[in-house]
Amino acid sequence: MAAIPEHDALVWRPAGLLETYFATRTSIDYYTSVCVWTKFNRPVEKSRLYPAMHALIGRNPALSTVVLDSKTKSIKFALAKEIDLDKMIEYRSSSGSFEEFLAELHDIRFTYDTMTPVWKLFVWNENTVAFVFDHAPFDGVSGALFHVQLANLLNDQSAVLSEELSPIVNVDQSTKLAPALESIVSTSPPLWFVARMLLAEFGPKWGLSEPAERYGNIFAPYTHPVEGTTYRILEIPAERVKVLLHKCRAHNTTMTGLFHTMLLMGMSKAYIGVRGFQTSVPINARRFLSSIPDAANEMGAFVFKYQEVTAAQEEFSWDEVIRFANSLRKGTTRRAGYNLGMLKYLFGNISGWMEAKIGKVRQEEVMELSNLGVWKFSGDVSHEDEFAVMSMGFSQPHGTLNPPICLSSVGVVGGGVTLTLRFSDKIAGHGKGDLVFDLIKKMVDELSEKD
């Protein structure tokens, strides 16, 4: 579809490096959609949801973003003129599992070069609200922020009653979108970093035809499209989360370190003999955005990435939990933006760089942990007239260039935590993802037992 002429849309600004990377990945069908969901204690009726969405869209410019010129090297973000909630929100009922529905949600492919924002909202079986979105204007934290604000608005009678039930949201054309990440935080890597990364990416491989030794020979080359993706969900109840959190604090470490170690153990037992695994952890960069007022609550694509090669470990050790958590903390600095800054050296040919990887040996991350943390919601479950969030979940699609196995985590303050493992047997190997998931579940059960 041809791009809409600029005079037909209010163009906010050019897409930034990270936004362009995400949009390019979507436009060549290498990535689909992200999902963050919440389960409420009561049905979410249209009469309450639509007014809340009017207010929510008005408060968050990213929700009005459309992507233009997606097939060019100059992708732009523009402002929708109006949003039709009847086209953006769907109510679904099903006797199947949410895991099955989740696979359907991740098959959604958003269309660029139109005046329709790149997100949808699904109300599944009356009380589970799934926010599904394209990665270009949003990151995972944006999904969590969406649900926190939605719950607040559902419970704010004054805010809800001040809005109309009309499905049409007229977008304020004076709305301003937050700047791109690299215009706020320096992502310019030093020359030594540039040289090392360019050599690793484009330098000679000295005849390497099999995966690097630390990976063994278990991972298939990059393939497109990815087929047979499976999503496994583990809901950890509040009482068990409390025990896990207590043990983490007793060891002066974090739940992120704990979940990463569980994932590492699963990988180590699934792939016997592999000495180590290259891992990645997305980092919320909002803490560095001091120039944006209330940056912590700004929806957008504000994420860095921490990477390391982690030695295989088949037996649980708090020492490894502590080590990884400390390494992640030390790596969570502005310097984490160096990898993002390297996109400049592709000189706009991001799609060509991506497509050139197909059929080649995977030399990048083979596992990922993405932890959105825990979020505080309004609403009291003991009050029947209030909307209280009972649980929260987060999952990512199996993109062509993404790690074979990914663990996503998010939870509710004082409540439970949901883990979602995403994998494809055709890439990870038959039964490997299930083995990893079962090991994580076993470790959660064992470690959440009171001493």
Side-chain angles (χ1 to χ4, degrees):
M1 181 180 294
I4 294 175
E6 290 188 12
H7 64 267
D8 286 345
L10 178 62
V11 175
W12 267 326
R13 60 168 173 78
L17 283 172
L18 183 62
E19 295 158 343
T20 297
Y21 175 89
F22 286 151
T24 301
R25 190 174 60 174
T26 296
S27 67
I28 62 175
D29 198 28
Y30 277 23
Y31 199 83
T32 54
S33 55
V34 184
C35 180
V36 181
W37 70 90
T38 48
K39 183 176 181 180
F40 286 90
N41 63 320
R42 52 174 293 188
V44 182
E45 307 96 340
K46 185 181 293 188
S47 60
R48 296 291 289 270
L49 180 59
Y50 273 37
M53 286 301 299
H54 270 266
L56 189 58
I57 291 170
R59 298 177 185 183
N60 294 279
L63 291 172
S64 299
T65 302
V66 297
V67 181
L68 301 183
D69 297 331
S70 65
K71 298 297 184 180
T72 74
K73 293 182 180 180
S74 302
I75 298 173
K76 301 177 180 66
F77 282 170
L79 179 66
K81 294 181 178 180
E82 65 177 29
I83 299 174
D84 186 345
L85 296 181
D86 282 344
K87 295 180 179 179
M88 308 296 288
I89 299 174
E90 291 187 27
Y91 279 75
R92 297 279 195 90
S93 296
S94 171
S95 58
S97 69
F98 187 77
E99 284 182 340
E100 295 170 336
F101 184 56
L102 186 59
E104 179 182 343
L105 296 181
H106 282 301
D107 279 340
I108 293 174
R109 287 163 170 77
F110 290 100
T111 302
Y112 293 159
D113 300 315
T114 76
M115 290 306 291
T116 302
V118 286
W119 57 267
K120 291 201 72 171
L121 199 65
F122 293 84
V123 181
W124 185 74
N125 288 352
E126 296 187 329
N127 64 348
T128 299
V129 177
F131 178 50
V132 183
F133 53 92
D134 182 83
H135 220 327
F138 304 102
D139 55 16
V141 169
S142 300
L145 290 170
F146 175 95
H147 283 284
V148 170
Q149 294 182 40
L150 177 62
N152 289 340
L153 288 165
L154 288 172
N155 286 313
D156 185 349
Q157 288 295 316
S158 62
V160 171
L161 293 176
S162 67
E163 301 290 348
E164 298 179 0
L165 186 57
S166 167
I168 303 301
V169 179
N170 294 307
V171 178
D172 181 359
Q173 296 297 290
S174 66
T175 301
K176 300 296 182 183
L177 184 67
L181 180 58
E182 72 272 12
S183 65
I184 306 169
V185 177
S186 175
T187 56
S188 298
L191 289 178
W192 64 265
F193 186 88
V194 174
R196 187 182 74 182
M197 294 298 289
L198 290 178
L199 182 63
E201 182 68 30
F202 301 109
K205 300 297 188 286
W206 292 282
L208 181 67
S209 60
E210 295 294 331
E213 184 177 359
R214 64 173 177 263
Y215 304 145
N217 59 357
I218 54 179
F219 297 113
Y222 288 107
T223 58
H224 179 75
V226 175
E227 298 176 339
T229 302
T230 297
Y231 300 91
R232 299 286 304 276
I233 298 174
L234 174 62
E235 293 189 352
I236 309 174
E239 60 271 16
R240 288 186 175 270
V241 171
K242 186 176 181 181
V243 174
L244 293 174
L245 185 59
H246 173 76
K247 291 183 177 180
C248 284
R249 288 172 175 169
H251 289 88
N252 194 28
T253 191
T254 66
M255 292 283 275
T256 299
L258 178 61
F259 290 150
H260 184 272
T261 301
M262 292 178 179
L263 177 59
L264 174 65
M265 289 178 60
M267 296 289 288
S268 301
K269 292 196 174 184
Y271 303 109
I272 300 296
V274 178
R275 297 188 304 170
F277 303 90
Q278 185 157 326
T279 186
S280 67
V281 178
I283 297 171
N284 181 3
R286 286 168 176 79
R287 71 198 76 183
F288 305 123
L289 309 184
S290 57
S291 62
I292 297 181
D294 196 24
N297 293 309
E298 184 77 31
M299 290 188 191
F302 304 117
V303 63
F304 290 156
K305 182 166 64 174
Y306 172 78
Q307 297 171 291
E308 70 166 43
V309 176
T310 312
Q313 181 168 321
E314 294 187 35
E315 300 300 327
F316 179 79
S317 167
W318 280 106
D319 289 339
E320 171 57 24
V321 178
I322 295 168
R323 183 210 65 79
F324 184 81
N326 288 339
S327 296
L328 180 61
R329 175 180 53 80
K330 292 176 182 177
T332 305
T333 68
R334 286 177 170 82
R335 295 175 63 183
Y338 288 174
N339 285 318
L340 174 59
M342 288 300 298
L343 291 173
K344 292 182 290 187
Y345 295 93
L346 296 175
F347 303 104
N349 190 29
I350 295 177
S351 60
W353 170 71
M354 290 179 176
E355 291 168 335
K357 292 180 178 291
I358 303 304
K360 294 184 179 179
V361 171
R362 290 175 180 265
Q363 295 295 326
E364 299 170 314
E365 301 97 334
V366 296
M367 57 182 272
E368 176 183 308
L369 169 67
S370 186
N371 184 10
L372 298 185
V374 293
W375 297 81
K376 185 175 179 59
F377 291 88
S378 66
D380 188 336
V381 68
S382 64
H383 297 162
E384 293 184 359
D385 60 338
E386 292 188 8
F387 289 85
V389 170
M390 308 299 291
S391 63
M392 186 179 191
F394 163 48
S395 60
Q396 303 169 78
H398 203 324
T400 297
L401 303 183
N402 291 84
I405 293 183
C406 174
L407 181 65
S408 303
S409 169
V410 70
V412 178
V413 170
V417 167
T418 300
L419 302 180
T420 307
L421 193 74
R422 184 270 296 144
F423 59 90
S424 167
D425 279 353
K426 293 187 177 182
I427 295 177
H430 182 71
K432 299 295 187 182
D434 286 322
L435 194 157
V436 172
F437 181 84
D438 292 342
L439 188 282
I440 292 173
K441 183 177 184 303
K442 179 174 181 290
M443 290 304 304
V444 167
D445 289 341
E446 292 178 355
L447 288 173
S448 61
E449 293 289 342
K450 293 183 179 179
D451 294 333

